[in-house]
Amino acid sequence: MGGILVIEFKCTVVRERFSSDNFKIYVVLVDKNIYKDVRCNKQGEYVICGDIQSLIPKLEYKLQGDLDIHKTYGYQYKVKDPKIDKPTDINMTRSFLKEVITENQTEVLLEVYPNIVDKIVKDDINDVDLSKLKGIGDYTFNIIKKKVIENFALIEVVDLFDGAISMNMVKKLNAEYGSVRKIKKELQSDPYKALCNISRVGFKKADAIVLSIEKLNKFKFADKNMLKSKQRMRACLEYILDENESSGNTRMDIVTLRKKCNELTPECIGEFVSVVKEDNSNIYFDNYTKKISTSNAHDTEVYIANKLIEMLKKSNTWNINT
């Protein structure tokens, strides 16, 4: 049961109750004098949950929650994009870091790199020399990076796309491309390829995301009309061929393929011929048989056929009844 009451409030994280890649639950503190309408559960706890970043205990987050009633635990808030103020001075940076690493490590780090949070957010850490940081090795620095990126850099990406791309998906994009700058660049140049490159994102899901982002008109793709774009046609065509292979067929009649593409993405069917002609790296078209397949399937079949022919040409005599 959800959607009862959407409310904005601030809360301080007490502890993490559950965590998976795409869902987390936190117990939080809420100032009842300020937020009188925020409800607690049967145990008197304030609980938030959702597909969100890893939150840091003792720090205050601003969020929007949709009141939900869990059948076992009672009231909780489904939230998205919890925000924390980015440190603007060394004291704020110190307070943030002390909740991630030890107090001694914090002082060591700030003495050498007082602007470390900004450097991580801006992906400007090539000059960070860990040998200058006593007690901070790769493992510890990666923990710092992860917390900073999730709480300050990736949340900006989620905001940019107005929730069309979930935090879990943004984290996968970051794992694939390494930085927010690269995520934006890849999504801008070819959003279908960028999204379909990450696990468990197929064409249909990617298509829904791309078209919803385009409607928001906050992020400019390289192609000004994704609905009718060549990129969309290529992604649709490759999706249908992949589905065909999953069904045990490596080739498809081009007329049948065009019909299926038209059923799925009629707005860009005008680009079908161009994609077939131009995309030699991923698509193989046999002009004689009018059959089409993925280049990978075609190359594999040719390799197998040549190997069989090569074997048949050998005149080995075997001491068995072949």
Side-chain angles (χ1 to χ4, degrees):
M1 182 178 176
I4 299 172
L5 178 64
V6 176
I7 189 170
E8 283 191 0
F9 60 95
K10 290 182 179 180
C11 64
T12 302
V13 178
V14 177
R15 67 179 181 276
E16 182 181 80
R17 174 168 284 170
F18 173 82
S19 179
S20 68
D21 285 343
N22 57 4
F23 193 76
K24 293 177 175 61
I25 302 174
Y26 289 93
V27 177
V28 299
L29 287 177
V30 176
D31 189 333
K32 278 295 293 180
N33 295 320
I34 300 174
Y35 305 105
K36 295 179 173 64
D37 295 329
V38 180
R39 303 182 188 181
C40 59
N41 65 14
K42 297 174 183 177
Q43 288 76 40
E45 298 172 324
Y46 296 97
V47 177
I48 62 172
C49 60
D51 181 358
I52 55 180
Q53 74 270 34
S54 296
L55 305 185
I56 302 171
K58 299 183 183 179
L59 296 185
E60 186 179 67
Y61 288 82
K62 181 181 179 181
L63 46 80
Q64 188 178 76
D66 181 2
L67 183 60
D68 179 73
I69 301 177
H70 191 280
K71 61 182 180 181
T72 303
Y73 302 109
Y75 292 125
Q76 60 184 16
Y77 285 86
K78 289 186 175 179
V79 302
K80 62 178 184 178
D81 314 343
K83 294 179 179 63
I84 182 174
D85 291 332
K86 192 168 82 169
T88 54
D89 57 41
I90 196 162
N91 289 325
M92 289 179 70
T93 303
R94 181 178 284 107
S95 296
F96 172 82
L97 291 173
K98 279 167 64 177
E99 302 306 328
V100 180
I101 54 179
T102 68
E103 187 169 347
N104 184 58
Q105 288 172 327
T106 297
E107 297 307 326
V108 168
L109 182 57
L110 291 180
E111 186 177 348
V112 183
Y113 302 108
N115 60 336
I116 189 61
V117 170
D118 257 349
K119 287 178 74 66
I120 293 172
V121 170
K122 293 174 181 176
D123 192 29
D124 178 31
I125 56 173
N126 289 334
D127 62 342
V128 173
D129 185 355
L130 296 184
S131 67
K132 296 179 180 178
L133 305 175
K134 186 179 179 181
I136 300 177
D138 286 330
Y139 177 78
T140 302
F141 191 68
N142 283 333
I143 290 174
I144 299 167
K145 267 179 20 183
K146 181 176 183 291
K147 295 293 185 183
V148 170
I149 288 168
E150 283 191 15
N151 281 277
F152 302 121
L154 299 190
I155 203 71
E156 289 180 12
V157 180
V158 176
D159 276 351
L160 177 63
F161 299 119
D162 233 13
I165 302 182
S166 68
M167 173 55 73
N168 183 45
M169 199 174 294
V170 170
K171 284 193 282 187
K172 288 181 178 179
L173 284 167
N174 188 60
E176 178 73 24
Y177 299 112
S179 70
V180 169
R181 179 185 55 78
K182 191 77 187 299
I183 289 172
K184 291 177 181 177
K185 181 180 177 182
E186 293 297 322
L187 285 171
Q188 189 172 47
S189 62
D190 193 339
Y192 288 96
K193 182 180 178 182
L195 289 168
C196 291
N197 269 355
I198 63 177
S199 65
R200 301 182 74 176
V201 178
F203 167 73
K204 289 183 179 180
K205 188 173 184 178
D207 193 42
I209 291 169
V210 171
L211 297 184
S212 64
I213 290 172
E214 187 169 52
K215 285 180 182 177
L216 291 171
N217 203 29
K218 289 171 66 178
F219 183 79
K220 301 298 180 185
F221 294 115
D223 194 309
K224 293 180 180 178
N225 189 346
M226 294 307 300
L227 187 70
K228 298 181 179 181
S229 69
K230 193 175 292 185
Q231 291 177 7
R232 187 176 185 227
M233 184 76 268
R234 183 183 297 110
C236 175
L237 192 154
E238 290 177 0
Y239 163 72
I240 292 169
L241 288 177
D242 285 340
E243 288 291 292
N244 188 52
E245 284 186 25
S246 297
S247 301
N249 306 301
T250 55
R251 286 172 288 176
M252 181 180 283
D253 178 82
I254 194 166
V255 175
T256 304
L257 178 60
R258 188 187 187 282
K259 182 181 177 182
K260 287 182 177 290
C261 286
N262 191 46
E263 289 171 357
L264 201 55
T265 55
E267 301 88 353
C268 58
I269 197 64
E271 299 290 350
F272 180 83
V273 174
S274 296
V275 170
V276 171
K277 284 183 176 179
E278 295 171 12
D279 198 355
N280 297 322
S281 59
N282 295 318
I283 298 167
Y284 178 80
F285 175 57
D286 189 320
N287 200 45
Y288 178 73
T289 63
K290 305 301 179 186
K291 300 284 187 182
I292 193 166
S293 63
T294 64
S295 294
N296 184 57
H298 170 263
D299 293 346
T300 302
E301 287 188 337
V302 169
Y303 173 81
I304 293 170
N306 287 336
K307 279 294 179 184
L308 290 171
I309 292 168
E310 184 183 322
M311 290 162 69
L312 288 169
K313 287 179 179 177
K314 293 185 182 296
S315 55
N316 292 338
T317 302
W318 300 92
N319 191 27
I320 57 171
N321 184 347
T322 57

